[in-house]
Amino acid sequence: MIEMLDAAVEDAIDRSSWIDSLSVLPTSFGSQDASKILSHCNSVQSALKGNKGMILGDSYVFSNGFIKDVYGRMEKELEVFRLSGSSGVILSDDFHLVMEAKTRTDSGRSGEVNEKKKKKGKSSGARTEILIDDEEIIPLKSKKNQRKGKEASLVLSDTKKGTKKDLARTQEDDLNIPSDDWIMQKILTLVPDFEEQADLAGLEDPQTILGPLANYMRPMLISSLKEKRKTLFSENSGKMKHLLDNLQKKLDEAFLNMQLYEKALDLFEDDQSTSAVLHRHLLRTMAASIGDMLFHNLDMHNKLKNGINVEESPNSESITLGSAERTALAKSFPGSLSKKALAVVEALEGKRVEAFMTSLRELAEESGLLLKKLDKKLERTLLHSYRKDLTAQVSAETDPVLLLPKVVSLLYIQVRNKALQAPGRAISVAVSRLKVVPSATS
């Protein structure tokens, strides 16, 4: 039996393939039996010593040539994963990707040391000490208390393990780390023989075979992914900084103007119908333009951070997105950034401008951007510039339909000292409001 398995393993190594030793052994044998028998096979010992093969999952023997081939193809799949799954952007901390690998490695080593301490414990005569935390040792004297202490420490240990695993999963989600299931699915796509072998072995799920190989490859794939991201992050850092600087300038101007137009809405708060029309008009025009510009630039920054080469659009403020496109982009952002972006989408589809202003401020802050507040001095400067621009537009306009809202806006600056943006169906109400204003205020 050993000779038969030895020959089968040698053949698999020579062909740069793999073998499940249980497929050669009698059906009554289990994986542990296979592991013991493999330890007596000369071909296995020779392959391990010569770095030509390895044993994974007790009963599976893989040649290094096979693993190298699959890993090379998996790296190509990983590149597709990296380019398509570009949602790991954290604008407030550009050094995050560089430090993430070191932090997780250090915490992993610390966890292993702590686990060894917990299992080992310390004993002296009838007195036993159980390590529950790094700095806390609880002495237990009686056997009864000893059992209770052990139970408590095990529960606490399991809770800590669960918390660490949840945290690790969250960090991996934020960084777009491929999951075990993704890796196994890709390996199965690349090597259909695994599914066939699972069927022959009577296994309902090929994961039994794929699991050990995926567990072996995943750390290497993650390391490769992180290295590529760090390299590309460094290459694109200049582009990202330039993009954010330009975005900040565009947001400054647009948000100040938005605050200026928002002030004019207060003149119609006593007329709910007209107020609703003016709010919706400003949301669908100026607010939507600001939101789309921000979403577009954050998406570009996201792609640059994930190594996708994109060219900055000189007219990104003219980008127009639909509701579905905004929602899709918002969901592509990580963690709290996604949540705040979705709040902006919801506010754009709402009825009140102040809700949009609040959500926009929160999204900008989460993105590491600052929005200027409109003060009296800036308001006077913007109103003067707006009045000058409107006067030139009125002088040049020949279409009476387009001329009317511009004239009304100009009158509101002259009479009310407010920058009004009014759609056609609100013009008549806006004009009637001007009639009751004393001429002395002009």
Side-chain angles (χ1 to χ4, degrees), residues 52-68:
K52 295 181 179 180
M54 63 182 64
I55 301 174
L56 298 176
D58 292 332
S59 65
Y60 304 102
V61 181
F62 292 88
S63 72
N64 279 16
F66 175 83
I67 290 180
K68 185 178 180 180

Side-chain angles (χ1 to χ4, degrees), residues 176-195:
N176 261 349
I177 299 297
S179 66
D180 290 322
D181 288 340
W182 184 90
I183 293 175
M184 285 190 287
Q185 182 59 48
K186 290 300 176 183
I187 293 177
L188 188 60
T189 302
L190 296 172
V191 190
D193 288 350
F194 283 121
E195 189 166 15

